Amino acid sequence: MERVHIDVKNKFKIDDKISQYIKPQIIYVPLENKNGVVYKHLVKEGDYVYKGDVVAINEDIDFPIHSSVSGNVISGTKKLISNGKKIKCIVIENDFKERYKNKLGAKRVLTNYSKEEFLKMLKNSGITGLGGSDFPTFLKYNVSCDIKCLVVNGVECEPYISCDKAIMRNYAEDILEAIDAILEIMNIPYSIIAVKENDYETITSFNNYIGTYPNIKLYGMPDAYPSGWERRIINTIFGVDYDKYPTEIGYLVSNVSSIYAILELLKYNRPLTERVITITGSGIKNPVNVKVKIGASIQEIIKYIDGYKDIKNPLFIAGGPMMGNSLPVDDVVITKDLNCILVIDDDYDKSLPCIRCGKCIGVCPVGIMPVCIMKNYNNYAKLKDLKPNKCIECGLCSYTCPSKIEVREFVRLAKDTVIKHDEV
Ligand code: SF4
Ligand code: SF4
């Protein structure tokens, strides 16, 4: 497979500072996540909720969503989430008192937990993969086999997104402390933090402290897309492959923002109610990385950071330009998976017919044939052998297509065709 470096037309300089906007008027709790997982609401209109109260739950695995504010539950509404769907939400009016039902415990010793206690805490905290997967972290960490190495993913290869980078540069010492604690609790011999090999500032931030952590090493990944893909990281560092999950062969991979959330959990027993996201693009006056409450509205936050630039056809993208979803408007709720909102001028040229150049095949990291899948996207008999379900939706086929065809969207449709057929 060809190695692809993504050129970004306009780079928007964001300094390392993390701004903060943690006083939203209203919080929305969607009752379905971007992967279609349904949550049952546990509160009703008129109820008072404390910050950190569980307000909805995935009943299949008993996995919670917490309120990120204290306040009153008001009448529900529907809001857009990161996958572009409008979802029914619990609505909470913030009373700005930040009241917890139970007083938070004093700062704790990070390693004072058994593995079982730690897994239970992970589950009760609602922490998920903050790199965008929204996969519950307690499920990922609950492995029966021995883990040889904890691999911390700080590669962040999508253009424009820099929230992980900001966290690493601001909290390098905290991240090392958290990794060290996880190694001890989970009885894992060592850890590797994967970062981009040319991200010198981040490497320096870690190098300032890493000497006191002999079990933690840094690894420089090539600055090519998709270097942050879990499978690519494991293959590059260890030269091995796996079937479904890296834990099958003894590697546990965790995103660096999730590691930071685990630090807050271990230290203060705090559930996940805030995260850092990148808001950037040619349509944003002041691109930033900003710490926000989960459930806040993007509209309100963009107003707070000085609003929009005057651009002709604003296009809103949840996530990065490669894997993200375009949104019709900015009326979007911040969910746990949302790491970036990109606002750009929609000046893309209209697509042309396929010229059968085969470039999309050459770049596909999972070795499938996007152009053939595209041409048969609703033909199950032909799709069976083309394996569209292996697609990781990295977007490289669309990016490289000289005819500007949204090839990935056809591959997504093909995946749906296969899923629907297999369900019958
Ligand atoms: S989006 Fe899917 S089909 Fe296209 S290059 Fe990526 S993995 Fe391959
Ligand atoms: S890259 Fe575009 S033009 Fe080339 S084969 Fe694939 S779909 Fe066709």
Side-chain angles (χ1 to χ4, degrees):
M1 189 212 126
E2 280 174 44
R3 180 174 284 186
V4 184
H5 176 78
I6 308 287
D7 272 328
V8 179
K9 255 202 268 169
N10 300 300
K11 283 199 171 151
F12 307 100
K13 183 85 186 127
I14 302 185
D15 59 28
D16 291 342
K17 189 175 149 243
I18 297 176
S19 315
Q20 186 157 292
Y21 182 68
I22 51 168
K23 293 192 171 172
Q25 306 276 340
I26 301 280
I27 283 298
Y28 303 91
V29 181
L31 294 170
E32 189 180 308
N33 78 358
K34 71 159 199 176
N35 303 319
V37 175
V38 174
Y39 284 79
K40 183 186 170 195
H41 61 91
L42 301 179
V43 291
K44 56 182 187 323
E45 194 176 342
D47 286 352
Y48 183 82
V49 295
Y50 291 87
K51 184 175 172 180
D53 273 3
V54 175
V55 291
I57 196 142
N58 167 359
E59 289 186 300
D60 292 339
I61 54 170
D62 203 16
F63 190 63
I65 303 180
H66 304 82
S67 175
S68 55
V69 298
S70 56
N72 294 296
V73 179
I74 57 174
S75 151
T77 188
K78 281 190 165 181
K79 283 272 174 188
L80 270 183
I81 63 165
S82 59
N83 61 6
K85 289 190 182 157
K86 268 200 158 185
I87 302 294
K88 203 172 159 204
C89 298
I90 298 168
V91 183
I92 303 163
E93 197 171 27
N94 192 358
D95 66 5
F96 301 103
K97 291 188 175 147
E98 298 278 305
R99 291 165 75 189
Y100 283 93
K101 194 178 283 165
N102 303 311
K103 265 202 154 173
L104 283 182
K107 193 170 159 183
R108 317 253 307 250
V109 177
L110 263 55
T111 49
N112 267 1
Y113 307 97
S114 67
K115 183 178 167 187
E116 289 66 35
E117 283 168 338
F118 177 53
L119 291 175
K120 200 168 162 203
M121 284 168 73
L122 279 180
K123 183 177 183 179
N124 294 340
S125 69
I127 295 176
T128 59
L130 298 182
S133 73
D134 209 19
F135 187 73
T137 303
F138 84 94
L139 288 179
K140 189 175 228 189
Y141 278 51
N142 191 8
V143 284
S144 46
C145 57
D146 284 346
I147 296 296
K148 291 186 263 197
C149 178
L150 169 67
V151 180
V152 176
N153 185 353
V155 181
E156 204 169 48
C157 58
E158 274 245 17
Y160 296 106
I161 307 179
S162 57
C163 51
D164 283 354
K165 204 192 294 170
I167 284 186
M168 289 188 286
R169 291 182 185 181
N170 282 280
Y171 305 118
E173 192 178 8
D174 297 304
I175 289 165
L176 292 167
E177 198 186 352
I179 295 170
D180 194 49
I182 297 169
L183 294 181
E184 189 172 332
I185 296 168
M186 299 273 297
N187 197 22
I188 302 173
Y190 75 110
S191 173
I192 289 178
I193 308 174
V195 293
K196 275 191 202 154
E197 63 189 359
N198 56 359
D199 185 358
Y200 306 114
E201 288 93 331
T202 302
I203 292 171
T204 306
S205 305
F206 280 124
N207 278 341
N208 286 338
Y209 306 100
I210 207 163
T212 42
Y213 296 96
N215 297 342
I216 307 176
K217 308 263 175 273
L218 282 181
Y219 188 96
M221 290 288 292
D223 183 10
Y225 185 80
S227 280
W229 178 31
E230 205 163 89
R231 197 173 282 275
R232 177 64 54 83
I233 292 177
I234 294 297
N235 190 273
T236 307
I237 301 179
F238 304 104
V240 288
D241 217 336
Y242 53 86
D243 183 20
K244 274 192 173 160
Y245 304 108
T247 44
E248 291 158 17
I249 52 169
Y251 300 110
L252 177 61
V253 185
S254 227
N255 170 270
V256 76
S257 289
S258 302
I259 295 284
Y260 188 69
I262 292 174
L263 176 84
E264 300 233 306
L265 172 69
L266 290 175
K267 259 190 186 165
Y268 306 108
N269 205 4
R270 253 183 222 160
L272 181 70
T273 56
E274 291 169 359
R275 70 155 298 152
V276 178
I277 77 164
T278 304
I279 301 180
T280 187
S282 54
I284 294 290
K285 269 193 196 154
N286 284 316
V288 282
N289 284 305
V290 55
K291 189 176 204 186
V292 291
K293 297 263 189 197
I294 291 166
S297 134
I298 278 288
Q299 264 178 348
E300 191 178 333
I301 293 160
I302 291 181
K303 216 186 264 175
Y304 166 77
I305 60 164
D306 278 355
Y308 295 109
K309 271 192 197 158
D310 199 11
I311 54 173
K312 253 198 252 155
N313 303 305
L315 174 69
F316 304 99
I317 298 174
M322 303 299 289
M323 294 193 72
N325 289 303
S326 57
L327 304 166
V329 289
D330 62 352
D331 192 16
V332 190
V333 177
I334 292 173
T335 40
K336 296 175 187 179
D337 61 288
L338 187 65
N339 54 1
C340 175
I341 284 285
L342 182 61
V343 186
I344 50 175
D345 207 357
D346 189 4
D347 60 354
Y348 288 120
D349 304 330
K350 294 273 170 282
S351 67
L352 298 167
C354 169
I355 55 169
R356 299 174 176 225
C357 64
K359 285 192 170 171
C360 54
I361 299 175
V363 295
C364 178
V366 297
I368 55 177
M369 293 192 282
V371 59
C372 306
I373 293 170
M374 177 175 80
K375 292 197 167 150
N376 296 292
Y377 76 91
N378 57 4
N379 183 338
Y380 177 75
K382 293 214 167 133
L383 287 176
K384 250 187 335 182
D385 297 330
L386 292 169
K387 302 197 180 347
N389 46 329
K390 283 178 77 180
C391 168
I392 55 162
E393 304 192 5
C394 68
L396 272 177
C397 46
S398 304
Y399 176 77
T400 38
C401 176
S403 295
K404 307 230 178 282
I405 301 170
E406 289 287 350
V407 191
R408 183 189 68 169
E409 299 314 311
F410 286 97
V411 181
R412 274 183 173 168
L413 291 173
K415 282 165 97 173
D416 285 347
T417 304
V418 172
I419 290 167
K420 276 182 198 142
H421 185 279
D422 290 348
E423 276 170 2
V424 176

